[in-house]
Amino acid sequence: MSLLRYQVRSLMIVRAFERGALYPVPLDAIHTVSYLADALATSWRLKPLDNAVLKTQWVPRSQPLQTAVDRLTGMGLIRATKVEYVVRDSRHALQAEYAVDLDRAADVFAVLDGDSEWIAENTAIGEISFAVTAMGRERAPRAVLVDASYSDPLLDNNNVLSLSSGIDDEPTRTESAGRSLGAIAKERVGHALTPAELTSLYVRHLYALSGEA
Amino acid sequence: MIQFPIITRLSVNDYELYPGTEEEPGLQAVFQPGLTLVIGANGLGKSTFVSLLFRMLTGNAELKNMGYATMGSGQVDIRSMYNHELRTFVDRVGDAAREATATVEFSLGSTVIHATRRLATLTLVDLVADGVEQEPTEGEFRAAIVDAADLDSFLSWFLVLRYLVFYSDERRSLVWDPTAQRRILPLLFLPPSEIAPIEELTERILKEDSTVRNLAAALKKREKELRTQERALDSLPEAQSELESLREQRAEAEERLEELRDEFVVAEVERSRTRLEALRAADDEQSVGAELERLRLMEVKRAFPTADESAAYMLTHLFAEGQCLVCGHAAEEAAAAMAERLRSRHCVVCDTELDPADAVDQGAADLAGTRQRLEDARYALADALEQRAQADKDYVDCISEMADAQDRISKTTAQVMRIERSLPESDRTVVKLRESLDEIRADNEIARQRVLFAKERLARLVDAQNRLLSRYRDQIKDGFDSHATGFLVEHCSLVWGSNAEQIGQLGRSIPYSVFQVDMTGGARENASRRESASQVSESQREFIDLAFRMALIGVAGEGGIGTLVMDAPEGSLDAVFAPRAAEVLTSFGFGDGQSRVIITSNLVDGQLIPRLAEKAQIRGVEDSRIINLFRIAASTAAIRDHRDEYDAALDRAFRAPGEDR
């Protein structure tokens, strides 16, 4: 997957948070949204960017996504603040918050917004980011940790979590869980939920779980 | 939860290998809580002691369909020992062990069992359960055990003994054998009602899978017959020749498909391994990169306390990673020049000499070390990514080639059928053969579908079983940590992972949850997956397995108690690890006050025996927790000729700490 694809996704995510309460957007939230977009890729008819992630006790960090964020900072399209490095389990990790420079990035967004190829991904990213924003600063970082795929008890830390077999469109556990919630909701509202509604419902479910976790 | 055996007594009488002494003939052992040490030399019957104890608990049962080193994926069952296997105890003595008997006493929960067997044949001569005399038959013995141990079958009992309780000279490992784990973990933690449907379905799949293969063989045979018959027909030689050629093409494609299925299993495993390695390498690289960036950021912030954070972020990257975030190019020279300005207390941008108060402590050693680690992490990542790319390619190529082969088979089959139909049916034999071929093909397809359907069901049942087992995951991991930490210098942990096992040859593999081992060491800074015993040293292999067994007994055993019998641990231990091994072995024996650890050892110099004795507070060779084979067993020529040297060595081994050695 090219660096450009990751840069586009990073820009989409940072912009999606722009008008919400979680802005400038913490780095973990960027990785969280990207992870959820991959975990829900089939529902949104997207191709996952990272179809395999290393399960740890933290939010999974995609190395190419991080490189993209760094490059965008260097190019001046996004700004970094509150840069610091934390030590978790004897391992160092970057923490920072990011804001988009809408003027500098205007040309890029003009292309993305006018290209039908990007619209589905942009919509998905927008919906997921919106739902994650609603979780609030405290619980948002825990969203991934209670996600159906990431928290699968059959998969211990330090194992590969596959989000796509690469062969078929088999739903991930995240999607299966979302669809189960959708089926219950359908009984109540009388119609099938849109991907956006399903996403929102699923992330709200993560909000509830993250409170119990 | 099951009841592990607590072995309390063993008595061996009229066996020439263990004549005993005048005051106490034979071998009379009482196993007290904690450690019992069986001490001897080559030829005195240490391994025979372990084997005898094992056979007292299993009778003449043995596993059939057992792999050599690992369990093997076929259906495992119990069989009777062959005559030559029964000669183990007979061949050690001159009188064919005609009169020799042994009695074992052990408890399973509140049930106490006494069993006496003839050593020559292992037949039961006496059986008492809870003080009540029973018919001395294997049936009664097995039923009493299965009932008291809370197990589903005697096969389970046998597996528990072989893989958990006894660590004999055969060194059969559990932690490195995923197939053994997939059979043993359920029987330790799940009720028989959960295990039975999976066992039955697995057995059915294996049987039906075998039927499919037989039908495929019958199909090939009939096709060959048909070809012979058709060649005999004079008519339409061109059509016959085309038919022949198509059938050959189809046979080649079928053969290739079979090969590819095997290759696919290997490619899938390699792809999983390289994916994990690549992700871990990327994680390591990110972590070390962040560490270096942190050091550089501290410098930049000290030099530019008012700098915009994004500017600091960019400079940090430039210094740490040698990459310009503005244009994306490598900028090692610019980075070096700027770093030099920082080091010489000049402004990075304008080169003005700074006030000494603004001096930057670069922690040069830290930086150099971290930079080197980052370099290493990058090489490791590049290597892991290359391996992953190759494994992905092999995997995709394999899938694509399988699809091609399948396509060739379908096309040639359709062509063959078209030509067959166009051939004259004047020859009755040919007509009959074609009909019979069609029938076998239909039967084969039905049987195939049945297997595939059953495998889907099995996958669902196994998934549910995996989830039930996962409830015990953390307890087992904690138990393992507490035992393994005492022995290993490297950091070693259990990881709850998945092993895709192919049941039969048809359909997809089934993912069974099993434990795997991650351990630091070698060239890698961080832990890496050790998928087989060959990836660790011999002593690590043994003690990792032992720690795993202890953890399982601790969690699965009612009250966390059990017995562990280990033959000759000293063989794989060097001077540093012998005391550590003593620590681990005795920790199991004394943890709860009831468990038993029975260890046989050669009388060797070194720390193992003295440390075991010290930890167990054994004060001398006369202690009842020492089974002294020098005194009990028939002397070998070496013992007779060097008795004094052995006595001196024995004295040294059990001298109290602090006394002269």
Side-chain angles (χ1 to χ4, degrees), chain A residues 98-131:
Chain A
Y98 297 84
V100 65
D101 186 327
L102 286 172
D103 290 337
R104 284 191 170 201
D107 290 347
V108 181
F109 286 125
V111 172
L112 296 183
D113 294 341
D115 189 330
S116 60
E117 294 229 347
W118 298 113
I119 286 176
E121 181 162 350
N122 205 7
T123 310
I125 294 293
E127 292 296 339
I128 296 167
S129 302
F130 182 67

Side-chain angles (χ1 to χ4, degrees), chain B residues 342-635:
Chain B
L342 265 187
R343 195 195 60 74
S344 58
R345 299 173 190 170
H346 283 69
C347 169
V348 168
V349 176
C350 67
D351 204 18
T352 305
E353 191 170 354
L354 298 173
D355 189 314
D358 296 330
V360 175
D361 176 13
Q362 295 189 53
D366 274 6
L367 277 176
T370 312
R371 187 177 292 285
Q372 183 55 51
R373 283 170 49 223
L374 181 60
E375 259 327 274
D376 294 345
R378 281 185 180 155
Y379 278 122
L381 175 59
D383 184 45
L385 288 175
E386 199 176 305
Q387 283 191 41
R388 177 184 165 160
Q390 185 59 49
D392 277 346
K393 183 179 176 305
D394 292 347
Y395 179 78
V396 171
D397 285 353
C398 199
I399 291 171
S400 153
E401 217 184 320
M402 278 164 73
D404 284 350
Q406 191 61 61
D407 191 44
R408 282 206 304 279
I409 293 167
S410 305
K411 279 182 181 158
T412 46
T413 302
Q415 284 172 293
V416 165
M417 286 172 79
R418 182 177 54 76
I419 296 171
E420 277 175 354
R421 277 197 298 271
S422 72
L423 287 174
E425 295 193 351
S426 53
D427 190 309
R428 293 183 65 81
T429 317
V430 170
V431 173
K432 273 191 174 172
L433 272 171
R434 281 183 197 149
E435 282 171 359
S436 118
L437 259 180
D438 287 344
E439 275 171 26
I440 297 173
R441 275 196 194 111
D443 287 349
N444 192 25
E445 187 53 29
I446 290 168
R448 230 175 72 83
Q449 290 303 327
R450 231 179 4 227
V451 173
L452 296 178
F453 181 73
K455 283 193 95 166
E456 285 307 315
R457 214 177 127 227
L458 180 64
R460 285 196 296 276
L461 288 175
V462 169
D463 185 68
Q465 176 182 279
N466 288 341
R467 280 169 203 290
L468 290 172
L469 288 173
S470 70
R471 294 176 188 170
Y472 301 93
R473 176 187 77 184
D474 291 339
Q475 276 175 276
I476 295 166
K477 285 169 68 173
D478 290 348
F480 176 84
D481 285 347
S482 69
H483 295 300
T485 310
F487 179 76
L488 298 164
V489 175
E490 304 288 354
H491 180 72
C492 180
S493 59
L494 288 180
V495 179
W496 182 239
S498 180
N499 181 55
E501 198 164 330
Q502 188 60 37
I503 308 292
Q505 292 182 357
L506 280 175
R508 64 166 170 139
S509 49
I510 309 283
Y512 289 86
S513 287
V514 293
F515 286 99
Q516 293 162 329
V517 176
D518 271 5
M519 195 169 84
T520 55
R524 295 284 299 275
E525 184 181 349
N526 297 300
S528 60
R529 184 73 32 97
R530 309 302 173 108
E531 279 158 350
S532 73
S534 63
Q535 292 173 324
V536 297
S537 72
E538 195 187 344
S539 65
Q540 285 171 340
R541 175 170 68 87
E542 293 189 356
F543 277 82
I544 288 171
D545 199 58
L546 208 57
F548 185 49
R549 290 166 177 235
M550 290 175 178
L552 287 175
I553 293 173
V555 178
E558 196 72 51
I561 60 171
T563 300
L564 199 62
V565 184
M566 188 176 193
D567 190 16
E570 76 283 359
S572 64
L573 298 170
D574 61 26
V576 172
F577 283 91
R580 288 171 165 264
E583 192 81 32
V584 174
L585 291 167
T586 48
S587 74
F588 177 77
F590 295 129
D592 47 67
Q594 282 307 311
S595 292
R596 267 72 169 169
V597 180
I598 302 166
I599 296 169
T600 70
S601 175
N602 258 336
L603 180 60
V604 286
D605 277 333
Q607 287 289 299
L608 182 68
I609 297 171
R611 290 300 283 270
L612 281 172
E614 182 190 339
K615 299 292 294 180
Q617 296 181 327
I618 293 172
R619 295 296 175 209
V621 75
E622 297 306 320
D623 193 296
S624 61
R625 287 167 294 170
I626 298 291
I627 298 175
N628 182 0
L629 293 181
F630 289 101
R631 190 171 55 87
I632 295 168
S635 294

